[in-house]
Amino acid sequence: MTDPLHDPLPASPHDEPNGELDGELDGELLSLALEAARRAGELLRDGRPDDLAVAATKSSPIDVVTEMDIAAEKLITGFLADARPDDGFLGEEGASTAGTSGVRWIVDPLDGTVNYLYGLPTWAVSIAAERDGETVAGVVEVPMRGETYRAVRGGGAFCGDRPLRCRPAPPLDQALVSTGFNYVEQVRRHQAEVARLLIPRLRDIRRGGSAAVDLCDVAAGRLDGYYERGLHPWDLAAGDLIAREAGALTGSRPGEPPSRDLAVAASPGVFAPLQRLLDDLGAWHD
Ligand code: IPD
Ligand code: CA
Ligand code: CA
């Protein structure tokens, strides 16, 4: 009889101590994510109807989805599934399969839907590949900026060919920090209260409207930090890897990885005081 506590787990092809093969696979996943994000970005930029309307609402009347969110997710999952039929998916607009290959794609086909609906430029396509539960490649395509952010675990982060490095940390009271507000009224009320207490203790606050872009802006040194409560894996997965690979620290409450409770990303030096302050203010709960 096997003893699950003491017998070694059966070897899986993903456990191989074969850094080179894993590296090759991660590179392949990145290339696919880049192509899928490019195509979806083009569809969203060039195919946006002038009379774009809300197709449905989700967690609240202001949490909207358009036909373009749905079309972009279909394009991305179709392209990736053609290339790698055994992979799993988690997509904001409903894609959800476990797959059998150990690889799962985490997709936000349009991050910043409200900006997109209003014709504001800050929106993105976010695609991450997870291998055995860990993000190994991430792409954030920001069509209206003409920017493509990418990272592979352990390989650094880039915008196009430019290596990314987060900003040298100023003292917290000189830090420019972005945030976002949830679609659910009760959470928003609490977030407004936290922001009220935070604003006098920082240089300023920004609200860009796309979590994926906020995380890339931390990576690119355009923000000192970013925090938000209530994010989903698809908002976070690619941008979190890009921020970390650019030298930023990311987390939730002290000692915990970014989660739905709270996501914090910042230059080292801003991260710890910002995280402490957010924890003191109870930014992760009502
Ligand atoms: C939203 C954006 C926004 C953030 C919200 C997200 P969506 O994603 O990232 O900046 O504040 O929490 O839900 O709905 O546009 O994909
Ligand atoms: Ca999103
Ligand atoms: Ca979305």
Side-chain angles (χ1 to χ4, degrees), residues 43-68:
L43 171 78
L44 290 165
R45 188 193 58 213
D46 300 343
R48 180 181 176 280
D50 290 338
D51 60 349
L52 181 68
V54 171
T57 59
K58 296 193 275 193
S59 60
S60 80
I62 53 167
D63 183 1
V64 297
V65 60
T66 73
E67 63 181 279
M68 297 304 287

Side-chain angles (χ1 to χ4, degrees), residues 182-273:
N182 197 259
Y183 294 121
V184 175
E185 187 188 327
Q186 187 196 344
V187 181
R188 292 168 78 76
R189 282 184 190 285
H190 179 251
Q191 287 173 318
E193 184 56 19
V194 171
R196 184 181 75 82
L197 297 168
L198 211 52
I199 288 168
R201 307 181 67 165
L202 303 171
R203 176 190 295 274
D204 209 349
I205 286 268
R206 293 288 180 269
R207 198 300 189 238
S210 160
V213 175
D214 284 324
L215 287 161
C216 291
D217 281 345
V218 171
R222 291 172 174 162
L223 291 168
D224 296 302
Y226 162 69
Y227 76 94
E228 186 163 348
R229 175 182 162 204
L231 293 181
H232 296 274
W234 47 77
D235 300 308
L236 259 177
D240 177 66
L241 179 68
I242 292 164
R244 283 188 284 119
E245 287 293 329
L249 299 177
T250 72
S252 173
R253 300 197 60 203
E256 291 172 20
S259 70
R260 187 114 183 236
D261 281 346
L262 185 65
V264 187
S267 300
V270 167
F271 181 78

Side-chain angles (χ1 to χ4, degrees), residues 69 92-93 108-111 113:
D69 298 64
E92 177 171 16
E93 306 314 335
D108 192 337
L110 172 46
D111 186 54
T113 294

Side-chain angles (χ1 to χ4, degrees), residues 26 29 104 106 127-139 151-154 233 236-242 244-245:
D26 295 350
L29 298 175
R104 188 170 71 146
I106 314 290
I127 303 178
E130 257 180 19
R131 211 155 37 76
D132 303 321
E134 254 204 74
T135 310
V136 293
V139 171
V152 164
R153 185 177 55 174
L236 259 177
D240 177 66
L241 179 68
I242 292 164
R244 283 188 284 119
E245 287 293 329

